[in-house]
Amino acid sequence: MDNKCVGCGVELQIQNKDELGFANSLDSLYCKRCYRIKHYGDYAAIKKHSVSSDKVFDAVLKIDGVILLVIDVTDIDSGLFTGIQRHLANREFIIVLTKWDLLPKTVSKQKVESYLLNKLRDMPINVLGIAMSSDKGKNGISNLIQQIKRLKIKKLIAVGYANMGKSTLINALIGKHDHLTISPYPHTTLEINQIEWELGTIYDTPGIKIENSFFDTLEFEEFEKYSIQSAFKPKTYQLDSAQTFIIDQIGLIHVIPKQNASITLYFSNQIQIHRTKYSNSSTYLEKHPNCMPLNLKSKRVVDKYEKFDVVFKQLGWFCLNGEFEMVEVKTSLIDQVITRKALI
């Protein structure tokens, strides 16, 4: 039987301390990398390694079981990745929306579930159930376990984009908060990790890499700053004139209201977002040339709803309420910006 790290799934080895899987002994529970993450918060090694998405899908296809699709509710549009249709068509799914405690308490779960089901409508998958969890899996986990028992599921394969909370959720399921290695950074899990628990077997898979992600444009040390790690503290501004909101290192949004309108910001509390008059935006950018990425592209937003979101995938969104003469987004990764009917 292979000696694998229970934290990230990589095969243990004692020959080379600079390679993945190094441990002082093959009998160790954790590799050196996971040990340092768990005990010292040393995340430096994570940035050296990621896992091919094709490799993840190829491995999942060989496992017979129900897909446990884990989606960060603050990034619900990224969570429904296109690979589902290409690689996992006709499979059975349970979908878990994690990190509910990061949304405002006024958010309607029925509204979010309805939005999710509408997005799933054209996907060739069989959804057996939807569950929600919060507080690092502590809340909502009993409902998920009840669904698993009711459906008599013996094998679960946890799948999702990197940093959606898969390993945290599995730790909560098996009742061991520190079994799998978790961190605020993507690509902590490196190999398929088979875990036996009271209801059968769970396979923890490496997080699927989001191609052309905003995080690809950031320094590794900035990931935690831009990731949504704590509850939103929405900021609402009344708009009685043309305004520009500049997200440091990411892009900007110009908004010109027809009449009184408002905009609410849902982003990490650590991100710097500068507000200025639309007429002053060019001057501001000239004085602060390093606040914008290179190769900016622009897109005019056509709003179909009186209240709608402009979403920067993985980062957060602007919620606009009212009628607008113009809404324009500028960023280097314009395909990572979408609009939707207001989620909140």
Side-chain angles (χ1 to χ4, degrees), residues 18-45:
D18 296 321
E19 294 294 326
L20 284 175
F22 179 76
N24 292 327
S25 167
L26 293 180
D27 294 326
S28 299
L29 287 176
Y30 297 97
C31 66
K32 178 182 176 183
R33 171 181 177 270
C34 283
Y35 186 88
R36 292 196 62 79
I37 291 171
K38 291 170 72 66
H39 294 281
Y40 301 107
D42 181 2
Y43 302 115

Side-chain angles (χ1 to χ4, degrees), residues 131-186:
M132 301 170 185
S133 76
S134 62
D135 193 17
K136 298 183 178 179
K138 295 174 186 176
N139 296 327
I141 206 71
S142 59
N143 175 263
L144 175 58
I145 291 174
Q146 287 173 10
Q147 290 192 46
I148 295 168
K149 287 180 177 179
R150 177 175 56 81
L151 295 165
K152 299 179 180 178
I153 297 170
K154 297 301 180 185
K155 289 184 179 181
L156 282 169
I157 308 149
V159 174
Y161 271 134
N163 226 23
M164 289 279 172
K166 294 187 310 303
S167 296
T168 300
L169 180 71
I170 294 171
N171 282 344
L173 267 177
I174 65 177
K176 297 179 180 180
H177 75 278
D178 62 350
H179 184 77
L180 297 174
T181 303
I182 58 175
S183 82
Y185 303 98

Side-chain angles (χ1 to χ4, degrees), residues 27-28 41 46 48 58 117 120 134 215 270 276 281 299 301:
D27 294 326
S28 299
I46 297 177
K48 299 177 183 177
D58 288 344
L117 289 172
L120 290 167
S134 62
F215 283 94
Q270 298 183 62
T276 187
S281 59
K299 176 168 71 174
V301 174

Side-chain angles (χ1 to χ4, degrees), residues 86-266:
R86 291 203 314 272
H87 300 280
L88 302 176
N90 304 315
R91 296 288 292 263
E92 294 181 326
F93 279 69
I94 287 182
I95 297 176
V96 182
L97 296 173
T98 62
K99 307 182 185 180
W100 263 98
D101 50 319
L102 304 191
L103 293 182
K105 290 181 171 53
T106 55
V107 175
S108 164
K109 292 187 177 182
Q110 289 76 18
K111 184 177 180 180
V112 175
E113 186 172 326
S114 176
Y115 177 80
L116 175 63
L117 289 172
N118 188 57
K119 298 268 293 185
L120 290 167
R121 187 174 298 160
D122 297 325
M123 288 192 175
I125 62 175
N126 181 14
V127 179
L128 302 178
I130 296 174
M132 301 170 185
S133 76
S134 62
D135 193 17
K136 298 183 178 179
K138 295 174 186 176
N139 296 327
I141 206 71
S142 59
N143 175 263
L144 175 58
I145 291 174
Q146 287 173 10
Q147 290 192 46
I148 295 168
K149 287 180 177 179
R150 177 175 56 81
L151 295 165
K152 299 179 180 178
I153 297 170
K154 297 301 180 185
K155 289 184 179 181
L156 282 169
I157 308 149
V159 174
Y161 271 134
N163 226 23
M164 289 279 172
K166 294 187 310 303
S167 296
T168 300
L169 180 71
I170 294 171
N171 282 344
L173 267 177
I174 65 177
K176 297 179 180 180
H177 75 278
D178 62 350
H179 184 77
L180 297 174
T181 303
I182 58 175
S183 82
Y185 303 98
H187 309 301
T188 305
T189 303
L190 295 172
E191 298 285 348
I192 298 283
N193 212 343
Q194 181 176 331
I195 303 142
E196 302 301 327
W197 71 311
E198 59 179 317
L199 298 182
T201 305
I202 302 176
Y203 298 87
D204 184 26
T205 67
I208 295 163
K209 180 173 170 31
I210 298 179
E211 301 299 334
N212 299 317
S213 163
F214 281 116
F215 283 94
D216 291 338
T217 68
L218 299 171
E219 295 294 328
F220 181 82
E221 290 73 18
E222 295 180 304
F223 279 20
E224 190 169 6
K225 171 183 173 182
Y226 283 80
S227 298
I228 301 167
Q229 303 288 340
S230 58
F232 283 121
K233 295 179 181 177
K235 296 179 181 178
T236 299
Y237 300 92
Q238 300 304 314
L239 302 173
D240 54 8
S241 62
Q243 304 280 310
T244 297
F245 294 82
I246 299 168
I247 311 173
D248 188 42
Q249 305 299 320
I250 299 296
L252 59 79
I253 183 171
H254 297 305
V255 288
I256 304 178
K258 285 184 179 179
Q259 51 190 357
N260 287 353
S262 66
I263 186 170
T264 303
L265 283 56
Y266 294 90

Side-chain angles (χ1 to χ4, degrees), residues 321-333:
N321 192 2
E323 295 184 40
F324 294 85
E325 293 283 354
M326 184 194 78
V327 177
E328 183 181 24
V329 174
K330 290 188 177 183
T331 182
S332 59
L333 298 176

